[in-house]
Amino acid sequence: MRSNHLRQLLNEGKPSIATHVMASWPGIIEMIGHTGAIDYVELVGEGLPYDLEGLENLCHAVDLFHNMTSMIRIEPEPATFTAARAIGSGVQNVLFANVRTVEEAKERLTEMRLNVVDEGERHLAQQFKDQIPGKTRLAGYFLESGTPAYTQSLKDCVVALKIEQRETLENLEAILSVGGIDMVVFGGSDYSPSITKPGAPATPEVQQVRDRVFRRVLSMGVQPRADIGSAEQAKPFLDMGVRHFAMGTDLAILFNWWKENAQELGELIAGA
């Protein structure tokens, strides 16, 4: 059973660096792995065009690199199905988007901690009891089903929540008090419309909210992750104690390179 690199970093109090992937070609994953600088790739499930076989192929590419793992961003619906099939395919960590209430947080955590919850919580998991079967790639298609290593792999899954709505922010302390949440990400682009200011993630008001969230999360023993566009943007987060980052998205990186260089070339040609 493959070890979970992100869980190891969290357990050891070490920082992590991620990047976002929206292309469904496993070659992108391999190129990221060959850098030797990325701890995990976040598969942006809201935009990633994948089928279940393709998801396994992406995980095959991740598995080529023992110091890299994967996380998938999961939409609210169908969260149970997607989380189960992603973990069964070999994705080791999950980021639940748009969790608003304590009840939703409990449901998501139950989905992930299935088969490893205490007996007192067993009733919470009944509706999900068949969602992560033992005949998936995670379990060697049946070879590891029900083994201690299989159970440990579920325990090691890093569960992150994305704060995207005013309602989530209002319930933040109660949500984090549920327990079992390892990481929090702030989604400014989605949060700004929830305060009737769409398209304003970089405004001082939204950034101040983000910083308050990160400081509160740290005070409760949960790790915040900052999503940044370049290494230079990490400094203020480092100063407040943030040690986990996700930098860049494959399609945005390509777009910006094409746009910048094509425009520059066009200007050179026009002036020739």
Side-chain angles (χ1 to χ4, degrees):
M1 192 70 68
R2 192 170 190 268
S3 62
N4 187 331
H5 182 57
L6 180 56
R7 171 58 66 190
Q8 290 176 339
L9 293 175
L10 286 174
N11 287 349
E12 295 170 8
K14 294 180 179 179
S16 68
I17 299 174
T19 191
H20 305 93
V21 170
M22 292 182 65
S24 56
W25 181 42
I28 295 290
I29 304 290
E30 288 194 44
M31 293 308 299
I32 292 169
H34 283 308
T35 69
I38 302 296
D39 296 303
Y40 66 100
V41 293
E42 180 189 313
L43 306 173
V44 184
E46 297 156 310
L48 179 71
Y50 66 90
D51 57 24
L52 297 180
E53 184 177 355
L55 190 58
E56 287 200 4
N57 288 333
L58 291 173
C59 292
H60 283 301
V62 172
D63 288 355
L64 295 173
F65 306 94
H66 71 280
N67 284 330
M68 190 172 77
T69 183
S70 58
M71 174 182 283
I72 187 167
R73 187 190 308 176
I74 295 176
E75 300 167 280
E77 295 297 337
T80 301
F81 173 82
T82 306
R85 297 313 299 261
I87 288 183
S89 296
V91 179
Q92 293 184 302
N93 311 288
V94 297
L95 169 60
F96 287 112
N98 214 8
V99 174
R100 298 169 183 258
T101 66
V102 172
E103 290 71 24
E104 289 177 357
K106 287 181 177 179
E107 285 186 3
R108 301 296 178 261
L109 289 164
T110 301
E111 293 161 16
M112 301 316 308
R113 307 310 184 192
L114 174 68
N115 297 333
V116 296
V117 294
D118 296 332
E119 284 303 317
E121 299 173 315
R122 180 63 60 182
H123 65 285
L124 294 174
Q126 283 304 112
Q127 59 185 309
F128 304 113
K129 63 186 177 66
D130 295 322
Q131 293 296 330
I132 307 180
K135 297 180 179 63
T136 58
R137 180 171 179 267
L138 170 69
Y141 302 105
F142 68 83
L143 296 175
E144 296 280 354
S145 178
T147 65
Y150 171 83
T151 301
Q152 187 63 48
S153 70
L154 296 178
K155 289 182 178 180
D156 286 343
C157 176
V158 173
V159 177
L161 299 185
K162 193 167 186 181
I163 308 300
E164 301 178 275
Q165 302 293 331
R166 182 198 293 268
E167 183 180 1
T168 312
L169 193 61
E170 293 170 349
N171 295 313
L172 181 60
E173 291 190 16
I175 289 172
L176 295 181
S177 297
V178 169
I181 298 166
D182 300 295
M183 189 176 286
V184 164
V185 179
F186 183 81
S189 295
D190 291 302
Y191 177 77
S192 59
S194 79
I195 58 171
T196 67
K197 294 185 178 180
T203 61
E205 179 182 356
V206 174
Q207 291 180 343
Q208 288 170 8
V209 171
R210 176 202 63 202
D211 293 350
R212 288 201 302 270
V213 168
F214 283 178
R215 290 190 177 97
R216 187 57 186 148
V217 165
L218 282 167
S219 73
M220 296 186 70
V222 178
Q223 292 299 312
R225 189 194 78 188
D227 288 5
I228 57 178
S230 65
E232 292 78 10
Q233 295 175 7
K235 182 63 167 61
F237 298 107
L238 290 169
D239 290 343
M240 75 172 70
V242 176
R243 293 295 181 268
H244 301 276
F245 296 90
M247 183 169 61
T249 302
D250 53 358
L251 297 189
I253 292 168
L254 289 169
F255 170 78
N256 290 332
W257 189 93
W258 285 325
K259 183 178 180 181
E260 177 183 344
N261 286 275
Q263 286 180 344
E264 182 179 350
L265 179 57
E267 291 169 0
L268 287 173
I269 294 171

